């Protein structure tokens, strides 16, 4: 707990705070179960350091898994109290949730940031509040932004790897299956399904997947690129409408996550694909969610890239406990497999998953 003033403010806030999410007792920044609202005032109790976590969307499959892991790590260890809030994919809600956490006097602010135009401002505010800022599963601050404040960290998967994994899977399929060129134009015609606009994962996954195809000398053509905010239903609707107009021109679907890939597969099935061997069409995704892995097993999803939410949640928690003990972030101190520590970055590696190694998708 940082500031005595926060105690008073947090109590005052308790009467009015309804904006944030929070679905269990350890994640209670809002609603009826709010730490502030319940008057337990963990952030203000002085007993335990408190981390406020702003997730961009509790309903997102990957985020739900990471959130669960982080909350479970906190509950099992008990050193740092974790409270969290749902930004509901809305910048204003994120800002209001952050303000609530500052008011509660949190020691750590973990931000699955969607306000990518305001990273410098966010850091400035964190510095004023003397709160450790951990950007999680989101765009990294630039070197200049890191230089603004020494208590800034970034924990995220190495998005470039996931793009390359998707692209290379398509290269392999294209080379082994000349019939993949459905309209015979000599080009790999693709639909690109993007997540949140401007989100690093979306930008890098789309560009690196195409780069892998270009590097293999495969000419590509974009049938349509469309933003589906990482959401399955959006992808299903949008692919259905693209297929109505251009069904015969599509050779593959590149989806920046599994949920969108699964939505695309539903739309493709409805349009007559995946009925038999001859109507197969490659779809690639990222995350290796439980449903994504099922789709690999049932032969619809060609490839995914394991984005490990357990490593993400545990890395964030371990980082906070290290800092709490006054230790430095180093590879050795963090002691996590599958990650690389570089300065204030924790970079999580992906693993490519196909039908050949589906067992590696376990986490
Ligand atoms: C990505 C993940 C997506 C979505 C997104 C939200 O890393 O692959 O499925 O969860 O993060 O920020």
């Amino acid at each position: 707990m940082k500031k005595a003033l926060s105690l008073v403010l947090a109590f005052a806030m308790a009467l009015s705070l309804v904006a944030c999410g929070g679905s269990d007792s350890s994640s209670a920044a809002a609603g009826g179960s709010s730490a502030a609202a319940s008057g337990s005032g963990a952030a203000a109790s002085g007993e335990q350091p408190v981390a406020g976590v702003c997730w961009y969307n509790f309903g997102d499959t990957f985020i739900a898994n990471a959130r669960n892991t982080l909350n479970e790590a906190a509950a099992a260890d008990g050193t740092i109290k974790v409270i969290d809030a749902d930004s509901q994919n809305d910048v204003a809600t994120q800002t209001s949730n952050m303000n609530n956490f500052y008011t509660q006097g949190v020691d750590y602010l973990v931000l699955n940031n969607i306000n990518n135009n305001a990273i410098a401002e966010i850091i400035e505010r964190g510095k004023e509040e003397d709160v450790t800022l951990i950007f999680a599963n989101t765009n990294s601050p630039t070197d200049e932004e890191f230089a603004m404040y020494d208590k800034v960290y970034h924990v995220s998967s190495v998005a470039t790897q996931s793009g390359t994994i998707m692209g290379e899977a398509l290269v392999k399929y294209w080379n082994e299956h000349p019939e993949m060129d459905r309209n015979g134009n000599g080009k790999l015609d693709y639909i690109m399904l993007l997540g949140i606009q401007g989100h690093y994962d979306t930008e890098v996954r789309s560009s690196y997947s195409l780069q892998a195809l270009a590097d293999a000398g495969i000419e590509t053509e974009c049938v349509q690129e469309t933003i589906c905010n990482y959401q399955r239903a959006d992808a299903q609707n949008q692919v259905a409408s693209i297929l109505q107009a251009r069904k015969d021109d599509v050779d593959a679907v590149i989806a920046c996550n599994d949920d969108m890939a699964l939505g695309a597969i539903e739309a493709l099935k409805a349009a007559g694909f995946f009925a038999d061997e001859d109507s197969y069409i490659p779809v690639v995704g990222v995350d290796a969610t439980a449903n994504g892995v099922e789709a690999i097993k049932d032969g619809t999803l060609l490839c995914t890239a394991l984005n490990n939410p357990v490593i993400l949640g545990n890395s964030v928690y371990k980082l906070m406990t290290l800092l709490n003990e006054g230790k430095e972030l180093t590879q050795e101190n963090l002691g996590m497999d599958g990650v690389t520590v570089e300065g204030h970055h924790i970079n999580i590696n992906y693993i490519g998953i196909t039908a050949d190694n589906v067992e590696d998708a376990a986490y």
Side-chain angles (χ1 to χ4, degrees):
M1 176 51 227
K2 298 172 61 270
K3 301 173 187 73
L5 178 64
S6 303
L7 214 171
V8 179
L9 286 172
F11 188 72
M13 288 286 300
L15 301 172
S16 60
L17 187 71
V18 288
C20 315
S23 67
D24 62 36
S25 56
S26 70
S27 56
S33 63
S34 164
S38 71
S40 66
S45 69
E47 284 163 15
Q48 232 186 346
V50 177
V53 187
C54 294
W55 293 111
Y56 100 94
N57 179 4
F58 282 178
D60 177 291
T61 309
F62 173 77
I63 292 302
N65 289 334
R67 176 183 176 223
N68 232 356
T69 304
L70 177 54
N71 290 344
E72 277 172 10
D77 178 71
T79 308
I80 293 167
K81 180 163 180 87
V82 169
I83 53 179
D84 64 11
D86 186 354
S87 305
Q88 297 170 5
N89 199 13
D90 177 60
V91 167
T93 306
Q94 174 180 294
T95 304
S96 139
N97 289 340
M98 287 166 64
N99 288 338
N100 286 336
F101 285 139
Y102 284 133
T103 305
Q104 293 178 67
V106 297
D107 304 274
Y108 301 89
L109 188 74
V110 179
L111 197 56
N112 177 212
N113 184 32
I114 47 172
N115 195 1
N116 287 311
N117 297 324
I119 294 180
E121 261 170 61
I122 291 169
I123 293 176
E124 201 52 60
R125 175 78 193 276
K127 189 175 176 184
E128 272 165 37
E129 300 280 347
D130 190 26
V131 160
T132 298
L133 286 176
I134 302 173
F135 288 85
N137 198 65
T138 185
N139 300 33
S140 173
T142 60
D143 289 348
E144 292 73 32
E145 287 162 344
F146 268 108
M148 291 168 61
Y149 180 38
D150 58 350
K151 293 190 195 168
V152 178
Y153 294 83
H154 178 239
V155 185
S156 228
S157 305
V158 188
T160 51
Q161 294 174 356
S162 54
T164 304
I165 287 168
M166 286 195 287
E168 286 180 350
L170 290 176
V171 168
K172 182 164 186 285
Y173 195 86
W174 175 268
N175 288 336
E176 290 171 359
H177 297 270
E179 75 282 5
M180 181 180 168
D181 183 7
R182 295 178 59 249
N183 62 8
N185 67 351
K187 297 179 189 170
L188 190 157
D189 303 292
Y190 64 89
I191 297 174
M192 177 68 75
L193 302 179
L194 302 172
I196 299 168
Q197 193 165 24
H199 186 244
Y200 179 73
D201 283 347
T202 273
E203 290 182 348
V204 170
R205 286 171 187 171
S206 51
S207 61
Y208 273 69
S209 55
L210 297 177
Q211 191 57 50
L213 287 157
D215 289 349
I218 298 170
E219 241 193 291
T220 57
E221 186 149 323
C222 181
V223 175
Q224 198 156 327
E225 178 176 278
T226 171
I227 293 171
C228 303
N229 287 314
Y230 294 121
Q231 300 299 307
R232 181 173 177 151
D234 289 13
Q236 184 168 344
N237 292 336
Q238 300 209 32
V239 172
S241 85
I242 296 166
L243 292 174
Q244 267 174 14
R246 305 221 23 210
K247 181 178 170 191
D248 294 338
D249 285 330
V250 182
D251 297 330
V253 177
I254 305 174
C256 290
N257 79 347
D258 284 355
D259 277 356
M260 295 189 294
L262 294 166
I265 287 169
E266 283 314 310
L268 288 161
K269 278 183 180 165
F273 291 94
F274 297 116
D276 52 31
E277 256 183 41
D278 295 337
S279 55
Y280 178 82
I281 181 163
V283 177
V284 291
V286 178
D287 281 339
T289 61
N291 289 335
V293 169
E294 279 315 303
I296 295 266
K297 287 183 185 159
D298 75 22
T300 48
L301 188 61
L302 176 69
C303 167
T304 184
L306 171 60
N307 188 16
N308 197 320
V310 171
I311 296 184
L312 175 67
N314 283 336
S315 295
V316 168
Y317 189 75
K318 185 69 195 289
L319 169 62
M320 293 192 294
T321 56
L322 283 180
L323 299 175
N324 192 48
E325 289 163 15
K327 292 190 181 146
E328 235 185 279
L329 171 62
T330 62
Q331 186 86 33
E332 205 189 0
N333 286 345
L334 192 70
M336 301 267 305
D337 288 338
V339 311
T340 310
V341 173
E342 272 181 287
H344 280 199
H345 293 268
I346 299 177
N347 301 321
I348 305 170
N349 295 309
Y350 286 89
I351 302 174
I353 303 292
T354 64
D356 295 337
N357 68 335
V358 80
E359 64 287 349
D360 293 344
Y363 51 76

